[in-house]
Amino acid sequence: MVYIGIDIGSTYIKSSLLDPATGEIRERRRMAVEEKRHCESPLRFELDMDQIYGPVKTILDEYIASRGDIAGILFSTQQHGFVYRSPRSPRDIYISWQDARCLEPVDGGEETVLSLLQKQISVEQMRPTGVYLKPALGLCNLYALIREQGGRVEPGATLYTLGSYLIEKLTGRNVCHITNAAPIGLVDIYRGCWYAPLIEQLGFSSIRFPALETGLHVCGYYEAGGRRIAVYPDTGDVQTCILGGGAKEGDVAVNMATAGQVCMVHKTASIGRGDPRYYEIRPYFGGLYCHTISRMPSGRNMDVLVELIREIGDRIYGCQLSNAQIWQKLSDCGTQEDTHGLSVDISTYETPEKLADGAIRHIDRANLTLENLFGAAYADIGRVYAHYIHMMEDAVGQKAARMVFCGGAVRNNALIRLALERAVGLSGVLSSSNDEVHDGMLKLARHIAEQNKEC
């Protein structure tokens, strides 16, 4: 028996057939996620759910029609975002983790929804959720959305994770795994339930929330081609990626793709001296926790520099190259460890401790070269990651055993890995997988097959 694995990230919907008996991942497919909806505010990032569900259903139906041995369907999806359905919603829209409407000014003033929330909700009140108030947090953008709709929850309003929305469309049940629910900011991770006191304080009590699943049990059935296929709860893509990358207890996973995180797999949820303003505790698998610091420099930060090169080539020389082609050229050039004084602050997107405020500094008549520019950018990424990895080690009172590199941006760039090893002072292990998320789903499929006594 095989399982269908579907991973919905920021850039692609990727699918495969997972065979827990042989350990094989077969018939991989990939399609681009549809462009975001046009919004007047640049802080908004919305996706039409019809443009996600339609391709997902097509993928499932094609697999099921071609195989008679499909045992179940697994989802791994991007986190923090949500779908909020209310009677006034003309269509179902996914508010992505890249949305930051909570940073928009309130009534034209200097106050934002996020700053209002930070005055209403203390760090201590957020502690049971394992997360803190930040622009990408579903809680903050949900509050902003409801506020712009008049400030009251309408009767019949329903909240979904990206995965639970798909599961309900397939099975009729709104169910989500705790690894996907917790990053919204409304779950008590210690008790494994929705965090009622905070939900009530925010005025969300009348919202219908997904049923929470902490295990990997069947949450419904998808009927297609005269067959009933078991559907399992959606898991968070970061945790699934770390599982597939082979990180063990005590390891620090450096997960760098479109976004970046550092995660230490640990047996306790205590953060000791960890700063709760930046530090997250996310439920993992097998009773473990991911001590996580997100909003780290990643592929999208470096793409700001690459986009400049692409634009220069296009507008000045009439040479049109893709970002991938530019990255290949840059890899051939190499970088300088000694950048001759040139420095780069790569925080072109906000980091845990400051808003976007990137810079290139100390330019002189000779040091502004490609090698120095990218060498300085890599060094800055290493500096930031080292700072937070050491913060994490202090918080749990344990030195990391090793770094495990996961995600395309770090897997495909040896120069970034080298800069991280230099800065952190710790050897790194490159995941043997070219797709850690699907390797992680294969491990989950094996666990499901064993609990169902299939192998």
Side-chain angles (χ1 to χ4, degrees):
M1 302 297 284
V2 298
Y3 292 76
I4 302 171
I6 296 184
D7 168 46
I8 304 175
S10 304
T11 310
Y12 295 105
I13 298 173
K14 296 186 288 186
S15 63
S16 67
L17 291 178
L18 313 166
D19 189 333
T22 66
E24 293 179 293
I25 301 175
R26 300 193 293 267
E27 295 189 37
R28 297 176 189 262
R29 304 180 187 181
R30 184 175 76 170
M31 65 174 66
V33 172
E34 288 292 323
E35 292 290 325
K36 69 176 182 177
R37 298 177 71 243
H38 173 73
C39 299
E40 294 299 324
S41 169
L43 292 172
R44 301 194 174 203
F45 198 108
E46 302 178 351
L47 297 171
D48 190 327
M49 282 304 301
D50 285 343
Q51 301 301 314
I52 296 178
Y53 175 67
V56 166
K57 186 177 186 304
T58 298
I59 290 168
L60 292 174
D61 290 347
E62 288 177 352
Y63 278 133
I64 292 168
S66 67
R67 307 271 311 208
D69 59 346
I70 305 293
I73 300 166
L74 282 72
F75 289 103
S76 168
T77 69
Q78 54 185 286
Q79 302 171 70
H80 292 298
F82 62 90
V83 178
Y84 177 71
R85 179 190 289 165
S86 71
R88 70 170 62 189
S89 304
R91 59 174 58 88
D92 293 331
I93 300 299
Y94 176 62
I95 310 298
S96 163
W97 63 270
Q98 298 182 74
D99 195 282
R101 67 189 61 208
C102 63
L103 293 179
E104 293 172 355
V106 173
D107 301 327
E110 294 184 0
E111 196 85 79
T112 66
V113 171
L114 179 60
S115 62
L116 287 175
L117 284 169
Q118 288 169 334
K119 290 177 181 177
Q120 296 174 29
I121 303 170
S122 69
V123 170
E124 284 303 313
Q125 284 176 289
M126 289 299 296
R127 195 176 290 276
T129 69
V131 296
Y132 59 93
L133 298 174
K134 61 180 180 178
L137 196 68
L139 177 163
C140 300
N141 292 316
L142 175 61
Y143 189 83
L145 177 64
I146 292 173
R147 194 177 188 280
E148 69 191 47
Q149 293 182 350
R152 296 180 61 123
V153 173
E154 294 185 80
T158 305
L159 187 77
Y160 302 89
T161 62
L162 176 55
S164 81
Y165 179 92
L166 298 173
I167 290 169
E168 184 182 82
K169 292 284 281 188
L170 296 172
T171 71
R173 295 192 64 219
N174 182 12
V175 182
C176 72
H177 196 266
I178 193 169
T179 54
N180 251 329
I184 291 176
L186 296 170
V187 171
D188 184 332
I189 65 166
Y190 302 98
R191 299 174 61 194
C193 61
W194 292 103
Y195 185 26
L198 183 59
I199 288 170
E200 182 176 357
Q201 181 179 345
L202 291 167
F204 294 168
S205 295
S206 58
I207 295 176
R208 291 184 296 193
F209 288 87
L212 267 188
E213 174 66 61
T214 58
L216 290 168
H217 305 289
V218 176
C219 52
Y221 292 88
Y222 175 50
E223 297 188 9
R227 297 159 61 194
R228 296 176 77 240
I229 309 295
V231 179
Y232 292 87
D234 54 315
T235 55
D237 59 352
V238 173
Q239 291 94 323
T240 308
C241 181
I242 291 169
L243 181 68
K248 298 179 172 58
E249 184 182 338
D251 289 342
V252 167
V254 175
N255 183 36
M256 193 187 300
T258 303
Q261 303 90 17
V262 286
C263 305
M264 178 179 274
V265 180
H266 206 262
K267 61 185 177 182
T268 71
S270 171
I271 65 171
R273 292 176 291 169
D275 192 330
R277 294 174 300 168
Y278 316 130
Y279 204 101
E280 300 179 29
I281 308 292
R282 298 183 185 180
Y284 189 53
F285 306 108
L288 298 173
Y289 296 88
C290 277
H291 292 243
T292 304
I293 297 177
S294 56
R295 291 189 287 158
M296 304 290 284
S298 58
R300 62 178 181 163
N301 296 70
M302 295 300 299
D303 276 342
V304 171
L305 298 179
V306 171
E307 279 292 329
L308 174 62
I309 296 172
R310 187 196 59 76
E311 185 180 10
I312 291 170
D314 185 11
R315 296 180 62 178
I316 304 299
Y317 299 104
C319 178
Q320 296 182 345
L321 294 176
S322 67
N323 282 16
Q325 289 172 309
I326 293 170
W327 273 117
Q328 183 57 56
K329 296 285 187 184
L330 289 168
S331 297
D332 294 341
C333 289
T335 62
Q336 291 290 113
E337 185 177 356
D338 177 5
T339 59
H340 300 90
L342 189 74
S343 68
V344 170
D345 182 338
I346 202 61
S347 54
T348 49
Y349 291 82
E350 66 170 21
T351 65
E353 293 178 273
K354 68 175 185 175
L355 298 177
D357 187 26
I360 302 171
R361 300 191 182 95
H362 311 306
I363 301 172
D364 65 27
R365 62 185 179 182
N367 67 2
L368 188 56
T369 67
L370 278 176
E371 290 86 350
N372 288 339
L373 178 64
F374 278 81
Y378 294 149
D380 191 58
I381 287 177
R383 177 191 63 78
V384 174
Y385 276 77
H387 169 70
Y388 288 111
I389 287 173
H390 295 324
M391 177 189 290
M392 191 174 289
E393 290 173 328
D394 287 344
V396 301
Q398 176 182 329
K399 289 290 184 183
R402 58 178 183 164
M403 287 190 294
V404 177
F405 296 126
C406 305
V410 70
R411 181 176 60 246
N412 298 330
N413 195 318
L415 298 171
I416 290 181
R417 298 197 300 271
L418 181 60
L420 287 164
E421 289 178 335
R422 285 186 189 132
V424 178
L426 193 65
S427 63
V429 177
L430 181 61
S431 165
S432 60
S433 170
N434 288 325
D435 191 340
E436 294 92 354
V437 170
H438 281 264
D439 267 23
M441 283 194 285
L442 176 61
K443 291 180 179 179
L444 296 177
R446 184 177 294 122
H447 174 80
I448 291 169
E450 289 172 353
Q451 74 181 11
N452 293 342
K453 295 182 170 52
E454 293 171 12
C455 63

